[in-house]
Amino acid sequence: MPNLSSANPRAAFYARLDQQSMAPLWESLHALVPPRPATEVKPSVWRYAQMRPYLMEAGELITAAEAERRVLILENEGLRGQAAVTQSLYAGLQLILPGEVAPAHRHAQSALRLVLEGEGAYTAVDGERIPMSRGDFIITPAHTWHDHGHDGQGPVVWLDGLDIPLVRFMGAGFAEKASDSMQQVTKPQGDSLARYGCNMVPVDYQAAPETPSRLCHFRYVDTRAALTQLLRSTPDVHTGHKLRFVNPATGRSPMQTIGTYVQALPAGFSTAPLRSTDSTVYCCLEGRGLARIGELEVAFDERDIFVVPSWVTVQLEAAVECVLFSYSDRPVQEALGLWKEERS
Ligand code: GTQ
């Protein structure tokens, strides 16, 4: 046996440090404090036409009740095994079939649903059933009771976006199942939209800045009407016509941990290069085009989902008029003074 300690005194020292659960910073300093964001997230795309048959197969193998949530997770190839689509966020496709119930539960994780296919399903949030139509964006804020059901015809599919990796990182997750699988309906349909979603709030309502949104339903009819109007004006060079969703009572993100956005791009429009520190998940709601994500060129079509990693330059080209929904951890980064963007 060579005498390790005299041949390589540092290696021997490192081995002894390892025994003490310690490590020398100087071997990893530049990886730990990189000159620019060095994310493991890979630019990636999931095509709806390719995913849909798997989802329908899942529908034959397990019921929503048995699964609790019948979801296929979209895993970033740089983060396999972590149920993560970016470092901080999760994405999945959820299927519910007529007559099914995904039973009521609540958790610390915030969730968004973006309805991609079908009609007649609902998400019940804190006693109010929110009907799901294609393109609708629905949130279940942290700790709110929610179940999903379907009284209509045909499969309903939506994109789930949650802050599962972030909450896991923080070690802050709690979850609880309700004793009844369906919540008691305590409010008429449309109640929260009327109270909080029409440029008004109840007369004595005061929302603290961190209060989760009481408006949980952002209807595509309303979103699309706004975008249709914006499409008559000049688009921003870098973002086209891009809006962020807000809790109307505070002007802040409807969820503290997930920022949500929608943008319209006129036919033939190309955005100028942009990069930002928030890895972002995009879902094409209308149209088709090309996303240049760093070196990668991703053709996208309706319902396709793609990821732009932190600090990788993105350019979007609309072959026809496009509407893109997106979500990221930007509100978290902003709250912590970390968010940066560069427009070229
Ligand atoms: O619908 O409550 O995709 O709790 C993952 C975890 C959906 C949900 C997911 C969840 C849900």
Side-chain angles (χ1 to χ4, degrees), residues 68-73 90-94 102-103 105-107 109 111-113 123 140 146-148 158-162 164:
E68 192 166 332
R69 295 293 183 266
R70 190 205 285 116
V71 178
L72 298 182
I73 302 169
Y90 158 104
L93 284 186
Q94 183 158 174
H105 69 195
R106 64 174 176 174
H107 38 69
Q109 292 81 358
L112 69 87
R113 334 278 169 194
T123 287
T140 51
H146 55 283
D147 52 85
H148 314 292
W158 63 83
L159 169 67
D160 278 324
L162 287 91
I164 287 173

